[in-house]
């Protein structure tokens, strides 16, 4: 059990362990959060109402609220275990609200406490959606943003124009991950094993496994699905779905952050 000195669940531990596990896959993760937060401030000011889409443990909200103490966020996700950690981490913070919703449900926005937002932010989440559901979601998000509001999506996106550079940088990342694993870094499956073993989170984990699958099972890669990976696809689709401007504002070897204005 992960508890604090007072005997309560140490939610900061879970938040930090989630961050470290994610950084094993994305060593530039903190940098893209910084660029994302800067973009929110640049477009929406220092007191924005922000929708943290597919929020996980609330990593983006955590960075936004530290940089912009006057902001408010709504954290929405389908994963009950990650939401439990987010709720625990932000307990008592009236700036943060929560909603449990499936983004592929046409009526998911009815679960939100507000009808419009100054900014919508998301990271390493929407790559799970196939092309058409993601296209529809982009249209829905355009409708949720006020005029002049900003949508920011940091995710696995590629630029096929430089295949040798992509391969070289990918190989380097793999080598670093292997070294870090030998030094005890947790991967996705290991992290979820710890969640499932924690008495406070076990029931939430069981719900998550029934709903979304058991991430502890190390299975072969599934058959390729119809999921867009090119940065250009995201930019073009955002414009088609009601955004007036869209551009890439940050990238690494295998990730990019795109911004779109309503």
């Amino acid at each position: 059990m992960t508890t604090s000195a007072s005997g309560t669940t140490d939610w900061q531990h879970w938040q930090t362990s989630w961050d470290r596990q994610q950084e094993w896959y994305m060593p530039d993760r903190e940098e893209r959060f910084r660029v994302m937060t800067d973009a929110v401030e640049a477009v929406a000011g220092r007191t924005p109402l922000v929708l943290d889409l597919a929020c996980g443990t609330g990593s983006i909200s955590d960075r936004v609220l530290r940089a912009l103490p006057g902001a408010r966020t709504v954290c929405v996700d389908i994963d009950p275990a990650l939401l439990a950690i987010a709720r625990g981490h932000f307990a008592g913070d009236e700036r943060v609200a929560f909603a449990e919703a499936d983004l592929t449900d046409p009526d998911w926005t009815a679960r939100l406490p507000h009808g419009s937002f100054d900014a919508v932010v998301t990271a390493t989440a929407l790559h799970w959606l196939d092309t058409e559901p993601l296209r529809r979601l982009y249209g829905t998000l355009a409708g949720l943003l006020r005029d002049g509001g900003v949508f920011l999506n940091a995710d696995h996106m590629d630029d096929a124009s430089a295949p040798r550079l992509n391969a070289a940088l990918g190989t380097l990342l793999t080598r670093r991950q292997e070294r870090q694993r030998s030094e005890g870094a947790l991967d996705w499956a290991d992290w979820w094993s710890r969640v499932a073993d924690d008495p406070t989170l076990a029931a939430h984990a069981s719900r998550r496994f029934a709903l979304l699958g058991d991430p502890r099972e190390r299975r072969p890669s599934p058959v390729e699905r119809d999921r867009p990976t090119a940065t250009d696809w995201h930019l073009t689709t955002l414009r088609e779905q009601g955004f007036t401007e869209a551009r890439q504002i940050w990238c690494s070897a295998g990730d990019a952050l795109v911004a779109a204005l309503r």
Side-chain angles (χ1 to χ4, degrees):
M1 183 185 300
T2 305
T3 57
S4 65
S6 64
T8 59
T9 299
D10 187 348
W11 296 112
Q12 182 59 57
H13 163 83
W14 284 113
Q15 182 70 261
T16 301
S17 70
W18 170 262
D19 284 340
R20 298 296 87 79
Q21 175 258 129
Q22 289 286 286
E23 286 167 1
W24 182 71
Y25 295 97
M26 296 164 291
D28 300 313
R29 183 170 178 261
E30 208 62 46
E31 174 67 9
R32 65 180 187 165
F33 282 157
R34 183 193 65 77
V35 176
M36 180 180 285
T37 301
D38 284 351
V40 171
E41 180 180 2
V43 174
R46 295 192 57 81
T47 59
L49 176 59
V50 180
L51 178 61
D52 188 348
L53 193 71
C55 66
T57 65
S59 295
I60 304 177
S61 285
D62 188 58
R63 274 72 175 176
V64 167
L65 293 171
R66 274 189 270 154
L68 306 172
R72 292 174 295 147
T73 71
V74 176
C75 294
V76 59
D77 206 298
I78 192 176
D79 190 317
L82 297 184
L83 277 175
I85 295 171
R87 287 188 171 104
H89 178 69
F90 291 111
D93 192 334
E94 296 182 354
R95 297 172 299 174
V96 187
F98 296 93
E100 188 169 335
D102 180 352
L103 299 183
T104 64
D105 180 346
D107 297 322
W108 71 270
T109 58
R111 295 178 174 269
L112 300 177
H114 304 281
S116 66
F117 296 85
D118 301 306
V120 178
V121 295
T122 188
T124 326
L126 302 189
H127 65 271
W128 290 105
L129 297 180
D130 288 341
T131 298
E132 289 311 311
L134 182 54
R135 190 190 309 276
R136 290 193 296 271
L137 178 63
Y138 279 173
T140 300
L141 297 178
L144 278 177
L145 281 166
R146 65 166 178 79
D147 287 345
V150 64
F151 169 59
L152 295 148
N153 180 18
D155 211 336
H156 306 320
M157 303 179 197
D158 57 50
D159 181 346
S161 66
R164 289 184 296 166
L165 278 173
N166 294 343
L169 291 167
T171 298
L172 177 62
L173 177 59
T174 299
R175 289 173 180 163
R176 285 180 177 171
Q177 288 175 326
E178 290 171 348
R179 184 181 69 251
Q180 290 165 350
R181 281 288 283 164
S182 70
E183 296 169 352
L186 295 180
D187 69 1
W188 178 254
D190 290 337
W191 188 84
W192 279 105
S193 292
R194 295 196 177 189
V195 172
D197 290 341
D198 187 279
T200 302
L201 291 171
H204 299 293
S206 293
R207 279 187 60 209
R208 193 270 183 204
F209 299 162
L211 186 65
L212 301 170
D214 190 337
R216 297 170 297 176
E217 299 176 6
R218 300 176 189 272
R219 300 173 179 173
S221 298
V223 176
E224 189 68 24
R225 298 184 62 175
D226 179 25
R227 291 173 176 168
T229 61
T231 306
D232 284 346
W233 182 92
H234 290 271
L235 298 176
T236 299
T237 303
L238 286 164
R239 296 184 190 103
E240 291 174 349
Q241 293 300 308
F243 290 89
T244 58
E245 297 179 19
R247 58 159 288 194
Q248 175 183 293
I249 60 172
W250 177 90
C251 74
S252 65
D255 281 40
L257 170 57
V258 298
L261 287 182
R262 178 70 172 91

